[in-house]
Amino acid sequence: MNKTSIEKKLKKIKHKADELLHRSLDQQVNVAVTGLSRSGKTAFITSLVNQLISENQQSELAFFTPVSQQRFIAAKRVPQQHNLIQRFTYDEGIAALSQHTPTWPKPTKSISELRLAIRYQPTSSLLKLATDVVTLYIDFTDYPGEWLLDLPMLNQTFEEWSEQTMALLTKEPRLSVASEFIDEVNKLDPFAPLDEQVLAELSEKYTDILHTFREELGMSVIQPGRFILPGDLAGAPILQFFPFTGFDSIDKNEYQNAETNSMIGTLRARFIEYKSRVVKKFYKQYFVNFDRQIVLCDSLSSLNHGKASFDDLQLAISMILESFDYGKSSLLKRLFSPKIDKLLFAATKADHVTPDQHSNMVHLLNKMVYKKRHELHYQSVDVKTLAIASIRTTDVGKSRYQNKDINVIKGQRAADDKVITVFPGSVPSEIPKDDYWQANTFNFIEFSPRVPLRDHQALPHIRMDQALEFLLGDKMR
Ligand SMILES: Nc1nc2c(ncn2[C@@H]2O[C@H](COP(=O)(O)OP(=O)(O)OP(=O)(O)O)[C@@H](O)[C@H]2O)c(=O)[nH]1
Ligand SMILES: [Mg+2]
């Protein structure tokens, strides 16, 4: 071997060794984003990714230390890890926001994934000794918060679940929507021979009323969560069951012995199968892998809908929080071994109100998660609450009203595309008491994105840098 070929070989070996070293120093984190439908999950991931890949192009990330300390080098999208999960539709979202008349990204219905690689200079002495540049791989998962509402079902029998659900259905405002469905269930003979068509039709009716609860009444507790977001299970018999009434009047023995050739036997069997094949599967396959979790909460829309909607949001939040209770006796800990160590609760769409109301948005959210936050603290889960806007659509200004300067926002109202300047109202800092609802009407207006996003430009936002710092800051030291 001559000298140059030895040199070449040595160089190659050194390159390989460097590559191996880098690979072992590279880090990875799974960041999950959830929230009830329309809470702003797609906008959040789209903006977060856009902020990171557009860094240095006038992005505003002052509170994200790798950027403020000038250690952030670049971020780029790389192929996602799991080929069986839908791709997060980042390009489609950016395309919608870049149109001449920009629009919001389309609603999504299932779980999706996106992988990002960030190169940065480390500060931690150990890493610094070994290398100048490290890559952090982030796997973002977007999944419907409704799926978390199903966790409590794992602890219930079909009778218990039916009873609890019927108690909810027989109270206003749900009752007016559900009464016809309840009448039909009352007429059902539980021990009649199985008629799949009848069960399919009643399940469809039950699903329809769940949609009305969510979309028209602004209710948040929707169970089973997959019924309104079925993904590829749409039309499958596993989603064809519903709560049954009249357990008091049926023979207990006959019920226990009912087989799947009877109506009630099949309803119960499907409920059990749903719990193990759908609910448990989600926790086992996805949830246990998440390291960091963001829960988005659109409290302004619930305030707009009124007391019933707001109370229901509170109930839904407490149900969602069960998925983060890692105390020894928790259902979750017994069944799975989750490892989330940081949990961010974000009140979204903060650009719908004036900045002086943001602290109230946070106080209100804190009140909703207060009890659990305390418990989680003892289980060493780091919890933070923030008011954010993933994509800011309004500008802030001052206006004179009754000889006083008041804060106002200016934006393009989604309902009629008119540019308006308004004081949209104040956000309560406490859980509102009953009399509060009589005296106050909220009118938080929905706005459209106004300025088309230009190539490589970063989206305007509120506190996305603080969200990034909480979620990733410690992973990029
Ligand atoms: N003004 C404002 N509106 C927002 C923001 N984020 C979301 N929205 C509004 O909320 C709607 C829903 O946002 P998405 O990001 O699609 O919410 P999602 O949780 O992904 O919704 P689904 O996929 O239907 O569950 C958008 O179409 C906007 O109207 C924001 O930061 N500011
Ligand atoms: Mg979405």
Side-chain angles (χ1 to χ4, degrees):
M1 222 187 276
N2 63 28
K3 196 174 160 216
T4 48
S5 67
I6 291 175
E7 271 172 0
K8 258 191 192 159
K9 228 182 171 98
L10 277 175
K11 222 170 161 184
K12 221 170 161 183
I13 292 171
K14 185 174 179 309
H15 183 74
K16 261 254 145 9
D18 275 355
E19 214 181 81
L20 270 176
L21 176 68
H22 273 275
R23 215 177 293 155
S24 58
L25 292 172
D26 288 348
Q27 327 226 6
Q28 189 269 339
V29 59
N30 291 324
V31 177
V33 180
T34 197
L36 298 175
S37 60
R38 313 311 290 143
S39 57
K41 303 177 288 292
T42 304
F44 181 84
I45 299 183
T46 305
S47 172
L48 208 68
V49 172
N50 162 269
Q51 306 300 333
L52 292 170
I53 59 181
S54 320
E55 215 287 313
N56 296 331
Q57 313 267 352
Q58 311 120 31
S59 67
E60 295 164 12
L61 299 177
F63 281 96
F64 186 37
T65 46
V67 168
S68 63
Q69 294 171 352
Q70 300 183 329
R71 297 185 291 108
F72 186 98
I73 299 171
K76 68 169 185 181
R77 282 159 60 208
V78 289
Q80 72 190 58
Q81 271 197 308
H82 306 103
N83 287 335
L84 286 177
I85 301 181
Q86 273 180 33
R87 201 174 48 84
F88 179 82
T89 49
Y90 177 77
D91 296 308
E92 290 83 340
I94 291 293
L97 291 161
S98 310
Q99 294 174 114
H100 180 64
T101 311
T103 55
W104 289 106
K106 286 206 180 92
T108 46
K109 298 271 169 254
S110 190
I111 188 163
S112 63
E113 201 178 280
L114 179 145
R115 177 169 249 218
L116 207 61
I118 304 183
R119 279 158 61 78
Y120 69 97
Q121 292 168 338
T123 52
S124 100
S125 45
L126 215 73
L127 277 176
K128 220 174 157 174
L129 261 182
T131 180
D132 298 336
V133 177
V134 186
T135 305
L136 172 67
Y137 291 94
I138 310 163
D139 290 291
F140 289 104
T141 306
D142 170 344
Y143 71 93
E146 279 79 2
W147 294 3
L148 298 180
L149 292 175
D150 285 348
L151 183 76
M153 288 170 80
L154 294 183
N155 244 352
Q156 292 174 320
T157 61
F158 180 58
E159 302 92 285
E160 287 165 344
W161 176 74
S162 293
E163 225 162 83
Q164 185 195 300
T165 308
M166 278 297 173
L168 212 59
L169 294 187
T170 45
K171 254 177 52 197
E172 289 299 356
R174 284 183 169 88
L175 179 60
S176 308
V177 177
S179 58
E180 219 182 287
F181 164 77
I182 298 172
D183 286 348
E184 287 189 41
V185 177
N186 280 335
K187 282 188 218 139
L188 194 76
D189 173 2
F191 302 111
L194 169 66
D195 184 337
E196 287 223 68
Q197 189 56 26
V198 172
L199 295 191
E201 279 166 20
L202 276 172
S203 308
E204 201 178 316
K205 282 204 175 128
Y206 181 58
T207 309
D208 286 347
I209 64 173
L210 291 180
H211 276 291
T212 309
F213 293 162
R214 179 74 193 138
E215 285 133 38
E216 286 170 35
L217 304 181
M219 294 290 132
S220 297
V221 177
I222 302 295
Q223 243 189 10
R226 284 305 156 117
F227 277 39
I228 64 164
L229 293 156
D232 51 8
L233 293 177
I238 199 165
L239 299 193
Q240 288 172 350
F241 67 93
F242 45 84
F244 180 69
T245 54
F247 281 106
D248 292 342
S249 52
I250 61 175
D251 184 276
K252 294 269 176 310
N253 258 337
E254 203 178 350
Y255 172 67
Q256 288 308 335
N257 298 326
E259 295 195 9
T260 47
N261 56 5
S262 68
M263 293 291 215
I264 197 77
T266 291
L267 282 177
R268 184 181 55 200
R270 286 181 182 168
F271 171 83
I272 293 169
E273 200 180 354
Y274 178 85
K275 290 202 300 179
S276 78
R277 302 274 290 269
V278 178
V279 185
K280 271 193 190 159
K281 189 174 160 207
F282 164 70
Y283 283 93
K284 273 198 183 132
Q285 204 171 339
Y286 303 110
F287 195 85
V288 289
N289 298 319
F290 299 151
D291 303 303
R292 307 266 150 110
Q293 173 75 59
I294 306 113
V295 180
L296 302 176
C297 175
D298 178 8
S299 44
L300 297 179
S301 292
S302 281
L303 286 170
N304 260 3
H305 268 107
K307 179 174 161 36
S309 166
F310 191 79
D311 287 350
D312 214 59
L313 176 67
Q314 271 183 269
L315 179 59
I317 289 183
S318 68
M319 287 164 77
I320 285 175
L321 280 166
E322 291 298 311
S323 289
F324 305 100
D325 180 355
Y326 304 155
K328 278 198 191 70
S329 60
S330 89
L331 171 67
L332 200 77
K333 188 88 182 178
R334 273 186 285 127
L335 291 173
F336 321 101
S337 308
K339 54 172 185 171
I340 290 165
D341 62 350
K342 281 191 165 216
L343 180 58
L344 174 64
F345 278 96
T348 52
K349 312 179 192 178
D351 57 328
H352 282 176
V353 294
T354 48
D356 51 300
Q357 300 300 316
H358 292 175
S359 60
N360 280 3
M361 282 178 84
V362 175
H363 286 314
L364 189 63
L365 190 60
N366 272 332
K367 288 272 151 50
M368 291 197 253
V369 301
Y370 173 76
K371 200 169 147 262
K372 212 40 159 215
R373 188 179 175 150
H374 245 61
E375 289 167 19
L376 287 169
H377 183 69
Y378 284 104
Q379 295 156 21
S380 29
V381 180
D382 194 0
V383 184
K384 189 177 171 73
T385 41
L386 270 180
I388 61 160
S390 311
I391 302 171
R392 183 170 54 78
T393 57
T394 58
D395 295 317
V396 180
K398 290 248 182 262
S399 191
R400 291 267 326 141
Y401 180 71
Q402 295 182 342
N403 277 336
K404 270 197 235 150
D405 269 344
I406 58 160
N407 284 325
V408 286
I409 52 172
K410 182 179 173 189
Q412 184 173 315
R413 183 163 52 194
D416 57 4
D417 288 340
K418 274 211 177 98
V419 175
I420 54 165
T421 301
V422 282
F423 173 71
S426 14
V427 180
S429 60
E430 299 269 338
I431 307 282
K433 302 254 168 12
D434 282 0
D435 54 346
Y436 193 92
W437 294 100
Q438 275 129 35
N440 286 277
T441 45
F442 301 97
N443 187 20
F444 303 116
I445 295 159
E446 285 190 19
F447 292 97
S448 305
R450 206 153 38 122
V451 187
L453 181 68
R454 276 181 283 120
D455 253 5
H456 308 300
Q457 201 186 20
L459 286 158
H461 67 87
I462 299 172
R463 294 188 197 92
M464 288 298 275
D465 49 347
Q466 293 190 32
L468 273 170
E469 179 62 18
F470 179 74
L471 294 168
L472 301 176
D474 64 323
K475 292 273 176 192
M476 293 178 68
R477 293 223 174 102

